[in-house]
Amino acid sequence: VSSLEVMQYFYLIDMWTWMYRARARRGHQYMKRRVLGDKTPFLIRIALGAGGLTGIVVLLFLPFLIFSNANPFFRAREVLRADYSIQLQAANVTYSLYERSTLVVPEVTEEEALVFGDEYGFEIIPQNRVRFHAVAFDRDSSALWLPSPEDSANIQASLSLFGATETRAISNRWHVRRARKRRERLNSELTRQSNITGDPTLAFTIALRTDNQILLANSQVALSAVQAKAIADAIGSNSNASVYVENSIAKYWSLSSISDSLLAVSRGDNALCLELNYVPIGGNSSTASALYSPWWSARDCYAQEDGSPSSAASCGCDASNPEDDGASSPFAMAYLFEFAEVSTINVGGGTIIALYGVILLSLATAVRAPLIGGASKVVFQEMPYLLHLLQVVYDIIHARQDGNLVMEERLAFAIFDVYRDPHELKKWAGERQLMPSEQWWKKENAPLALPSYKETRNEPYIKL
């Protein structure tokens, strides 16, 4: 509880702050024990002159350093794990087909990256402060494909419906002429079902896990009617099948230093052979009592030796029981990722103009604040003696704590009146007696010696 108004309270706190600053300056002057006429030390002149100018120049050019290749504070991203998945999207439902993970994501040199690019048919442009990582996955999925009977039936029905829709659309005109009404009803029903289910697609996803984020590389490919029918027939008859995907997921990806999203740089030779394999695990494979373990596998299809693009035939991806195409890579699929090094003092997604504006405004405020209004500040910063005024402030605080609000308000008005009259303020704060150097450091209580700014009641420069 206080009797002072809000602004009066703020005035009092501001006075207290300036008193504390002035008393701290007097204590610092006492500790230096300098004599009258001493020059400012050389190190202080350097720190306030050349040092201050150097600091301002460094801050002004800091944005250009951060956004340049000369930034020494860079670190490389470390990839801890890579996951690869292929999913089938049909009838607005997503089914996982192929999944594979690896904990080995080695960093490769620029020369090895160039060889990788030549092998997969894309060009690499060397850049500064980038790291290359090669990610390879085995051919077979890490788990068996075990859809529920309902899911298996839905996949087969959706893919069969898509294949039937595409096939019947070719001869639609001739059938409409012969049986217009019947064919119109049939085509209307097929179109309605096709719109509900949507075209089946294959979704390819590579997830790279670093120490603090997950980076995703995505691609989607629409299945053709032939591919959809081949998968549907294989599921229905528990037989092997292979699907040649001409454009799967890109082979070359990059990540900039200020981005969290992977960008496809080049697709390269990204043809892929997706295979469904059924292996009998019980009963006689020639009888209806056989049990099958289905799994999916995937492998790259390389360009032919003469440089021509790969095809289903050259990849061995057009037979019911496909064979390996004899690729030289020890892994079935491989991809290259280019990561730009990250600055430890990076400003995230900010631009150089925004950063420069923030630094310029902050620097202008920091330099301007202590330099303006000096003529009005010197009255309060250079007060030689503060104990009497501080005691009045402490008495106001004690009066408030004791509940004597009348005394609090009287003392507050009294110190306000002191500050309103420069002559009265000078009487309370004292004045210095400037002594020559030969009398500066005599005994502390000598009548003609200046007591080194130390605040005692016997100081000769205090005149009340």
Side-chain angles (χ1 to χ4, degrees), residues 15 413-425:
M15 294 176 186
F413 286 140
I415 198 171
F416 290 161
D417 290 338
V418 171
Y419 268 75
R420 289 174 57 238
D421 188 349
H423 299 285
E424 193 71 18
L425 181 62

Side-chain angles (χ1 to χ4, degrees), residues 42 61 107 131 245-246 261 324 463:
F42 175 75
F61 283 91
E107 181 178 336
R131 304 291 182 92
V245 182
E246 185 175 358
S261 301
D324 195 286
K463 296 180 179 180

Side-chain angles (χ1 to χ4, degrees), residues 101-137:
S101 300
T102 178
L103 299 178
V104 181
V105 187
E107 181 178 336
V108 298
T109 64
E110 184 177 311
E111 290 75 15
E112 292 172 332
L114 292 173
V115 173
F116 189 99
D118 292 338
E119 184 176 359
Y120 282 95
F122 59 84
E123 182 181 0
I124 295 178
I125 301 177
Q127 299 181 16
N128 295 325
R129 295 195 182 277
V130 297
R131 304 291 182 92
F132 294 97
H133 290 269
V135 182
F137 300 94

Side-chain angles (χ1 to χ4, degrees), residues 97-310:
L97 304 182
Y98 173 93
E99 294 181 351
R100 197 76 196 189
S101 300
T102 178
L103 299 178
V104 181
V105 187
E107 181 178 336
V108 298
T109 64
E110 184 177 311
E111 290 75 15
E112 292 172 332
L114 292 173
V115 173
F116 189 99
D118 292 338
E119 184 176 359
Y120 282 95
F122 59 84
E123 182 181 0
I124 295 178
I125 301 177
Q127 299 181 16
N128 295 325
R129 295 195 182 277
V130 297
R131 304 291 182 92
F132 294 97
H133 290 269
V135 182
F137 300 94
D138 291 338
R139 173 173 178 167
D140 296 333
S141 178
S142 59
L144 293 176
W145 187 55
L146 300 175
S148 64
E150 181 181 359
D151 288 343
S152 181
N154 290 337
I155 295 174
Q156 184 182 2
S158 300
L159 297 181
S160 299
L161 175 62
F162 175 72
T165 304
E166 292 292 315
T167 303
R168 296 186 185 190
I170 299 176
S171 56
N172 181 51
R173 294 181 181 178
W174 183 79
H175 287 293
V176 168
R177 292 193 188 99
R178 295 192 59 187
R180 184 179 184 85
K181 293 183 180 181
R182 183 169 62 87
R183 286 302 181 186
E184 283 182 351
R185 288 196 301 268
L186 176 60
N187 289 330
S188 176
E189 179 65 19
L190 291 174
T191 301
R192 185 186 68 82
Q193 294 181 6
S194 178
N195 292 334
I196 293 176
T197 60
D199 294 345
T201 59
L202 291 176
F204 300 85
T205 302
I206 299 177
L208 301 181
R209 300 176 185 269
T210 65
D211 53 349
N212 59 358
Q213 60 186 159
I214 299 178
L215 306 171
L216 298 178
N218 299 301
S219 180
Q220 286 190 344
V221 178
L223 287 176
S224 66
V226 176
Q227 294 170 333
K229 186 175 184 302
I231 296 176
D233 294 343
I235 295 174
S237 60
N238 291 341
S239 59
N240 298 345
S242 58
V243 175
Y244 177 76
V245 182
E246 185 175 358
N247 289 305
S248 59
I249 190 170
K251 286 293 182 182
Y252 182 24
W253 297 79
S254 69
L255 180 66
S256 67
S257 59
I258 59 174
S259 176
D260 293 331
S261 301
L262 289 169
L263 176 65
V265 180
S266 176
R267 288 190 168 274
D269 296 330
N270 64 333
L272 181 141
C273 184
L274 182 63
E275 302 165 344
L276 175 61
N277 304 278
Y278 280 89
V279 175
I281 59 175
N284 188 348
S285 60
S286 61
T287 65
S289 62
L291 297 177
Y292 293 89
S293 281
W295 82 88
W296 291 86
S297 62
R299 55 185 172 87
D300 284 333
C301 291
Y302 296 83
Q304 302 182 48
E305 295 182 358
D306 58 359
S308 58
S310 65

